[in-house]
């Protein structure tokens, strides 16, 4: 029992199935397998399957409302690929799962950008019929936003820093359901948060390659907000707080008061501050890109 609990502390299977975790966390699971053994690991997988089957159990006890064909196929694909951790690297196992989900939805998965989109497919819990929505939202982003998301979604947490957004799937699912938000706006705000984390130095301060960040407050806000402008102003009206071993995004009480409003006029001073921050981050990206070009030129001259 203790060994099974070790696995529960190391990995949340549902988060893996949704693409919320990163390869670095699978590496921790792999180390636990080597320490505790394969039999407790198989028992852990069985326990997780039973827990997932019990979701929505309060609605009906006739079979499992949650574990239909679609969710069952996702669960079996995840269990199958996780058992390869006994012989394969955590990185290869992780991306094998993401690529498998992409192929099931008839999505390509040969490039970093295609793998990033495939991971978004998992994060949004999108059925195959909503793939067009996913692709439209992605293609509507500008190049800088796509590059920021590709970097974020393909960071592995093994030898590069990865922000692990807890409740990211809830956030995206709530955004898709809320007609004043939508998938595209949700991605725009996510990019703002990622750039804020990097621009404010959190990436430099982190000792581990995996940085867990809770988006619970944002997910709940996204579910009920009534104005697109209120939603889009969320990054400028929130802050990251250190709580235990992780960060939490906390939206200001003043901004939450605007949730029920259908229209909202920006505070000019706050709007100017937000614009300056965006320009500063954009200049930072251009500087990094210029440094990269200069370095490539120096290498080429040698």
């Amino acid at each position: 029992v203790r060994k099974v609990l070790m696995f529960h502390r190391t990995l949340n299977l549902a988060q893996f199935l949704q693409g919320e975790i990163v390869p670095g966390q699978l590496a921790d699971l792999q180390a636990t397998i080597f320490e505790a053994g394969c039999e407790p690991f198989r028992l852990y997988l069985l326990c997780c399957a039973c827990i997932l089957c019990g979701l929505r159990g309060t609605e009906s006890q006739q079979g499992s409302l949650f574990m239909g064909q679609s969710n069952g196929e996702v669960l079996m694909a995840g269990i199958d690929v996780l058992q390869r951790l006994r012989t394969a690297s955590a990185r290869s196992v992780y991306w094998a799962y993401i690529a498998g989900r992409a192929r099931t939805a008839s999505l390509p998965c040969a490039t970093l950008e295609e793998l990033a989109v495939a991971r978004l497919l998992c994060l949004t819990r999108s059925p195959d019929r909503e793939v067009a929505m996913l692709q439209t939202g992605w293609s509507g982003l500008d190049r800088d936003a796509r590059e920021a998301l590709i970097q974020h979604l393909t960071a592995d947490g093994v030898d590069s820093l990865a922000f692990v957004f807890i409740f990211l799937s809830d956030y995206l699912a709530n955004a898709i359901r809320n007609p004043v938000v939508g998938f595209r706006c949700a991605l725009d705000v996510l990019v703002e948060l990622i750039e804020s984390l990097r621009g404010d130095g959190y990436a430099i301060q982190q000792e581990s390659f995996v940085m867990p960040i809770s988006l619970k407050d944002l997910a709940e806000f996204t579910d009920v907000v009534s104005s697109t402008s209120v939603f889009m102003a969320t990054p400028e009206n929130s802050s990251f707080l250190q709580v235990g071993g992780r960060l939490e995004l906390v939206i200001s009480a003043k901004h939450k008061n605007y949730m029920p409003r259908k229209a909202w006029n920006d505070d000019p001073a706050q709007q100017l501050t937000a614009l300056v921050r965006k320009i500063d981050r954009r200049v930072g990206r251009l500087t990094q890109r210029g440094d990269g070009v200069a370095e490539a030129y120096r290498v080429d001259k040698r």
Side-chain angles (χ1 to χ4, degrees):
V1 173
R2 291 193 182 93
K3 290 181 179 180
V4 172
L5 292 176
M6 287 173 60
F7 289 109
H8 279 287
R9 286 194 297 269
T10 305
L11 178 74
N12 182 316
L13 181 62
Q15 289 179 339
F16 168 71
L17 297 177
Q18 294 172 168
E20 281 191 351
I21 72 164
V22 295
Q25 291 164 289
L26 275 195
D28 294 337
L29 176 66
Q30 189 174 49
T32 305
I33 294 173
F34 294 149
E35 178 183 351
C38 294
E39 288 303 319
F41 178 56
R42 282 193 283 264
L43 181 57
Y44 156 76
L45 293 175
L46 175 61
C47 291
C48 289
C50 293
I51 291 171
L52 292 175
C53 287
L55 296 180
R56 301 182 62 188
T58 57
E59 300 175 45
S60 172
Q61 296 185 4
Q62 301 297 318
S64 173
L65 289 178
F66 177 80
M67 198 56 67
Q69 180 177 345
S70 177
N71 287 335
E73 289 175 350
V74 170
L75 173 63
M76 293 308 298
I79 288 177
D80 176 66
V81 78
L82 284 176
Q83 294 186 79
R84 303 180 199 173
L85 284 171
R86 292 172 290 180
T87 56
S89 70
R91 187 185 284 110
S92 65
V93 168
Y94 181 89
W95 291 113
Y97 171 74
I98 298 296
R101 293 287 304 276
R103 285 190 290 269
T104 299
S106 300
L107 285 173
C109 53
T111 67
L112 282 179
E113 181 171 2
E114 290 167 351
L115 286 173
V117 173
R119 188 177 170 201
L120 270 179
L121 174 74
C122 301
L123 283 163
T124 56
R125 309 168 186 156
S126 296
D128 293 350
R129 64 180 179 274
E130 293 184 4
V131 168
M133 175 274 297
L134 181 74
Q135 293 174 316
T136 300
W138 179 264
S139 61
L141 298 169
D142 62 40
R143 186 182 70 169
D144 286 336
R146 287 199 300 270
E147 287 182 356
L149 285 173
I150 290 169
Q151 181 182 7
H152 166 68
L153 292 166
T154 59
D156 59 21
V158 176
D159 49 23
S160 62
L161 177 65
F163 297 132
V164 178
F165 289 121
I166 307 165
F167 296 103
L168 178 55
S169 284
D170 287 345
Y171 163 64
L172 293 174
N174 290 345
I176 292 170
R177 282 197 303 267
N178 191 333
V180 306
V181 180
F183 183 58
R184 165 67 190 282
C185 288
L187 292 182
D188 284 333
V189 167
L190 183 60
V191 169
E192 287 291 314
L193 296 176
I194 293 169
E195 293 184 337
S196 177
L197 283 164
R198 295 189 180 279
D200 293 343
Y202 287 102
I204 299 174
Q205 300 168 20
Q206 183 70 4
E207 295 180 1
S208 168
F209 281 129
V210 176
M211 178 185 284
I213 305 162
S214 174
L215 297 184
K216 183 179 180 181
D217 206 24
L218 177 62
E220 294 174 350
F221 181 86
T222 303
D223 191 36
V224 297
V225 68
S226 301
S227 165
T228 303
S229 58
V230 171
F231 173 75
M232 295 302 293
T234 303
E236 287 76 44
N237 291 277
S238 58
S239 57
F240 291 100
L241 300 180
Q242 187 78 41
V243 179
R246 70 184 187 186
L247 294 177
E248 290 190 5
L249 180 71
V250 178
I251 301 172
S252 71
K254 179 181 178 181
H255 195 61
K256 286 182 178 179
N257 290 333
Y258 292 112
M259 281 193 299
R261 298 194 183 184
K262 302 293 183 182
W264 182 60
N265 295 322
D266 295 350
D267 179 350
Q270 191 175 69
Q271 192 175 25
L272 179 60
T273 301
L275 180 60
V276 170
R277 290 180 63 185
K278 289 180 182 179
I279 292 173
D280 182 61
R281 289 195 290 267
R282 180 64 61 88
V283 170
R285 283 202 304 267
L286 292 174
T287 301
Q288 290 175 354
R289 191 176 297 162
D291 290 343
V293 171
E295 178 63 23
Y297 176 75
R298 284 194 294 269
V299 171
D300 185 61
K301 290 291 285 184
R302 296 193 194 108

